[in-house]
Amino acid sequence: MNTHQQYCTFQLADLYLGIEVERVQEVLRFQEMTAVPLAAHVVEGLISLRGQIVTAIDLRRRLDLPERESGRDPMNVVIRTPEGAVSLLVDEIGDVVDVDEDRFEGPPPTMPAEVEQLIRGVIKFDDRLMLVLDAERAIQPAV
Amino acid sequence: MNEMDDVVNDFLVESNEGLDRLDRDLVRLEKDPHCRDTLSSVFRTIHTIKGTCGFLGFSRLEKVAHAGENLLSRLRDGELVLDPAVTTALLQTVDAVREMLAHVAAGGTDGEETYPLLIETLELLQRGGKSSEPLLNALTDIPAAPFPATHHSTAPSHTAGANHTESSPAHRMASAARAPAADDSQRTSGPAQPADSTIRVDVGLLDSLMNMVGELVLARNQILQFTSTQDDSTFLATCQRLNLITTELQEGVMKTRMQPIGNVWGKFPRVVRDLAHSCGKQVRIEMEGKETELDKTIIEAIKDPLTHIVRNAIDHGIETPAERIAAGKAPEGVLRLRAFHEGGQVNIEIADDGAGLKADRIKAKALERGLVTVDQVAKMSERDLVQLVFQPGFSTAAAVTNISGRGVGMDVVRTNIERIGGVVDLTSFQGRGSTLRIKIPLTLAIIPALVVTCGRGRYAIPQVSLLELVRLEGEQIQKRVENIRGAPVYRLRGRLLPLVKLHEQLKVAPSSDGEAMNIVILQADGRQFGLVVDAINDTEEIVVKPLGKHMKGIPAFAGATIMGDGKVALILDVLGLARSARVVTERGERALEQSAETEVHVDDQKRTLLLVQAGTRGRMAIPLSDVARLEELPQDSIEWTGSKQVVQYRGKIMPLVWLSEEVGRPRLETEPDAPLQVVVYADAEQPMGIVVDRILDIVHERIEMQGGGRSSGLIGRAVVQGKVTDLLDVAEIVSRNSALVGQN
């Protein structure tokens, strides 16, 4: 009866986040990046992924979180989009989890606005909460 | 002669393809006689063949095709229904056409055979006659179509089944009709038919091939970079081979996408004829280098611009016969198209021997359209003037004709050409005509580029824009690089070359120590400038890849590429850089300025400023474009309304503001009865007088704005005539005060 959804999870500062697994093309360890001068603050750089050029977006900056401690290399969650792949830089990649849809709840209204607009909802695990990231919005150029 | 052969060859290739399709379509039609799509397709094919062979003078072939077409048109109109007899006759037509084509291929004529019986049969069927005697005659009489009697008895046995009665005669006829076709191919298999030596390929497939070759080139570059660290001779030899093969493959695949420019030019004679006719002019078109080949995507991109240029040349360039005779020229004008390869680029020239561009008319028009100011025009060289026609909204045609002069003109042409990495240049000789030169790259996918370093990044500069490299060391830098009010210039063979520092443009920290200066001399928009980079690395073939949407708005980059070491490098957009560094002015900016008078522009390279004094030691500049008039008004003309001081000015009440008060400086002591110096700012509805203490000068200068952001009423400051001068934000002051006036 209950529908299930798989999420690819990752850690970002003190947040535990997930993206629907079908939106994720692949996850990669740290890749060397080419910085893009003059680009928006959230654009960390460009990576080469099997001959394709992929824009890497720092999800911490996108969510207005404090900068990653230096010396800690981010990992890539590569998202499929109609215009090609985009990579989200996260701190640590977690497991793929299988979740009952009835654990899902809309985002609490008290969340900070810049986080709230990128969060589709919250998954209630027994021991902690996972935020479901709106991948579509996260990769939109900030306005 | 050669050209004719080409036409005939094309005709043969097309017709043979058409005939193969006809065979299939006819058989399909027989199964479903009412399928309109198939029927129209059949009709079109025969019609095309008929039309072309009429044009090429193959009258016998034309006759047969014509008879077939007539029959088909009745079928298509639903006046006849396709029955096996009709199908047979049509298939016979196909065979007859095929046979005649074979003749054409072999000997250049359509043969001696006239197929009277086939034509008669077709005509009879077309009139609605039953397929009786003549048809049978036709079937047996056509020499290559022996109709073995035994076939009658054997055929039905092959086609057992529900539609036995319907399908068996059809089969019989169809197979009978096919027999001669087979014979034909045997007979003509000696000399290769043109149809056999070419195939049609989907452009999408070629594009994906091109992409893969691009990937291969990148992989090759990576391997070659790796070889420099190896010394295994077998490995090195293999890499060398890989390198050669890749290069050849790349060239080969590029060639498959190449088309002669003649494909675009082909329609020009007609365009020229029609246009010349409607303008009452006589124009002859001459073409040279029709066979010059270009990448298909580029051919597509230049099609419209070229047409526009050709139309322009006839409409505006070439004079009427009467004018030409009066000018001592032949009544017939000549439009010369020329294409040739040079330095890895394609050059296209479109030259007319018309009147050339009239400098005074360009001047007048540019002023009228507000594209330039009087001052600017006075300082312009002939060459610069001519370039004005590329400005948006410019059109020299006195009247808007239906041919050109609709406002979208040469600026669109230039934009389109520049978009594919090309350059447009126009030269004009008054009374002797004008020449437009276009330089475009052969292909867009893989380009040679110079790799440079700036800060911690590497950047690729397309070699098309590259002119030369200069390296200065030690004290040479101080000697050869001079500063004009903060704008560095370099003396290149006696000419001043503006320098643009890449790290400043990209806002990154430079990595060089200042010991040496590397200057990459580039050309954009017909202007040269030097790009100062930290280091010059190497040249490399790069594959252009687009940037994601996050970087779309950055004019400095044209794309990205993957370098030999697998890392990404950005490709610099030379034109974009030149514009953001203001080496070339952004076109359209001035037109914009016109529409928004109150906007204060500080981006222009050179500006005309009114220098005034307001308060002690207050030196200020007002953009002249904001000034309507300068007036001297007697002190006693000041009247009061509420708390405001006003004067009567040209039938209106004009409020006065004291500039020194506006910017918070003490007013200069003047004699009590000295006239007021008023700068009249004219808004659409409300004039405003800005009272200054003294009018100093009017200057036309390049303004380098220096730091210290906006403060109330000021845009910033700059050094003008060697003195620090505040730039006034007139719009701001006016709006601040007009709000008060409005309340009153």
Side-chain angles (χ1 to χ4, degrees), chain B residues 79-98:
Chain B
E79 292 162 15
L80 277 178
V81 178
L82 190 88
D83 61 14
V86 174
T87 313
T88 308
L90 288 174
L91 285 169
Q92 296 284 3
T93 314
V94 173
D95 291 337
V97 171
R98 193 175 269 136

Side-chain angles (χ1 to χ4, degrees), chain B residues 537-567:
Chain B
N537 304 7
D538 203 355
T539 58
E540 203 169 307
E541 297 263 291
I542 60 165
V543 180
V544 182
K545 303 207 177 245
L547 285 172
K549 55 186 170 189
H550 291 85
M551 277 83 65
K552 275 276 144 61
I554 309 175
F557 304 127
T561 188
I562 298 171
M563 305 298 292
D565 58 5
K567 285 189 208 147

Side-chain angles (χ1 to χ4, degrees), chain A residues 32-40 42-43 45-55 57 81 83 86 136 138-142, chain B residues 215 218 222 457-459 504-508 543 545-551 554-557 559-562 566-570:
Chain A
E32 256 197 84
M33 270 172 282
T34 302
V36 185
L38 311 176
V42 294
V43 176
L46 302 173
I47 56 176
S48 150
L49 183 60
R50 292 184 297 278
Q52 292 307 305
I53 290 175
V54 174
T55 311
I57 292 172
T81 82
E83 301 101 51
V86 175
E136 207 71 56
I139 58 173
Q140 284 306 314
Chain B
E215 295 304 320
L218 291 179
Q222 291 183 21
R458 273 179 309 173
Y459 302 89
E504 280 177 9
Q505 289 302 313
L506 299 181
K507 302 195 172 68
V508 296
V543 180
K545 303 207 177 245
L547 285 172
K549 55 186 170 189
H550 291 85
M551 277 83 65
I554 309 175
F557 304 127
T561 188
I562 298 171
K567 285 189 208 147
V568 180
L570 290 156

